[in-house]
Amino acid sequence: MTLLVDIGNSRVKWAWLSSDGTLGGQSASDYSGWSLQDWSEALFGAGDVSRVLAASVADDSVDGLLVAAARRAGAADVTFVETTREAAGVRNGYADPALLGVDRWVAAIGGYAHARGACVVADVGTAATIDVVSADGRHLGGYIVPGPELMVASLLSSTSDLGERHVASGGSIAEAGFADNTRDAIERGCRLAVAALVDRCVMDAAEAVGPGPRLLVTGGAAAAVLPHLGSPAEHLPDLVLRGLAVLAGKTT
């Protein structure tokens, strides 16, 4: 079988792709401090792997651990996807295609294949990225902003009046309305800020590509933003893996 791997800034996600094109359930974990043994046990302990297809925004040392673990497990082919001018019906909107992050590229491919038409892909993690693809597969570009947790951390570390004395209230991430304490004001405001940007992108995308682009939301922090969206959205936690499956030449 083929193992599909999505290595982000802090988390790794993976799923098995069977020979008949069936994509298995997604697994995910923080990988900070992982050893070769950790990579081997987590990703390769439950399957007979022949091929690994990965999208990674991590550094070479992390990618090297994945390669070593895959070789140890007997994988004959380990391939890291690169951003290209065109793939799977999607045409890169960047003047220099290589400058578009591979995670955004693969998510756009997965989103376009899922939507079978125009879509807005919001990937909310350490960073929040938003990309738009038209009905005919043109990638129109997008935005990158800090994710909600990074926004919170930036405020707490960079603003002298906002420190650890403002402890979390324990409120639900789905709570809306004006906050009545500083910590909730920070956390709720950061979630709403990302949600508002996503909603604005859906509105702008409708003007650019026509009414009805589908909003697809993925990423480890998606759950913090989804309750605050005004636009109808589909939550696809495995969207990058779906894109990898498309690139693997399989049907998701």
Side-chain angles (χ1 to χ4, degrees):
M1 290 194 296
T2 298
L3 182 65
L4 306 178
V5 184
D6 168 20
I7 307 179
N9 292 298
S10 59
R11 290 173 62 79
V12 57
K13 304 172 185 177
W14 65 96
W16 292 96
L17 185 67
S18 66
S19 57
D20 66 0
T22 302
L23 183 63
Q26 172 182 275
S27 299
S29 177
D30 293 330
Y31 64 78
S32 177
W34 271 15
S35 66
L36 173 58
Q37 187 63 25
D38 294 324
W39 283 92
S40 294
E41 292 178 356
L43 274 67
F44 299 98
D48 182 15
V49 59
S50 59
R51 179 188 182 197
V52 175
L53 186 64
S56 175
V57 297
D59 59 36
D60 290 343
S61 63
V62 173
D63 293 348
L65 287 171
L66 173 65
V67 171
R71 298 301 189 202
R72 176 187 284 187
D77 179 24
V78 182
T79 301
F80 287 89
V81 171
E82 296 182 353
T83 306
T84 57
R85 171 63 67 188
E86 184 172 357
V90 179
R91 299 186 300 283
N92 196 320
Y94 271 29
D96 183 350
L99 295 180
L100 178 67
V102 69
D103 52 341
R104 292 172 61 193
W105 177 235
V106 177
I109 289 170
Y112 183 68
H114 176 80
R116 298 181 184 275
C119 59
V120 176
V121 175
D123 190 340
V124 187
T126 304
T129 66
I130 304 164
D131 287 277
V132 178
V133 182
S134 68
D136 62 357
R138 290 178 297 116
H139 171 245
L140 303 184
Y143 298 111
I144 305 174
V145 298
E149 293 182 8
L150 188 56
M151 286 187 186
V152 170
S154 177
L155 278 171
L156 294 179
S157 65
S158 303
T159 309
S160 59
D161 288 342
L162 305 177
E164 292 183 359
R165 62 191 178 91
H166 295 296
V167 297
S169 70
S172 166
I173 62 173
E175 289 185 34
F178 299 111
D180 60 4
N181 64 84
T182 299
R183 186 58 181 255
D184 272 356
I186 295 169
E187 295 186 352
R188 199 175 300 175
C190 291
R191 294 193 292 266
L192 285 169
V194 175
L197 175 61
V198 173
D199 282 332
R200 172 59 185 267
C201 288
V202 172
M203 180 178 68
D204 290 349
E207 292 185 1
V209 304
R214 292 170 68 175
L215 172 58
L216 312 176
V217 183
T218 191
V225 171
L226 282 164
H228 305 287
L229 290 170
S231 308
E234 297 176 68
H235 185 202
L236 298 174
D238 60 349
L239 187 54
V240 173
L241 296 175
R242 289 173 182 243
L244 287 172
V246 172
L247 292 173
K250 304 297 182 180
T251 303
T252 56

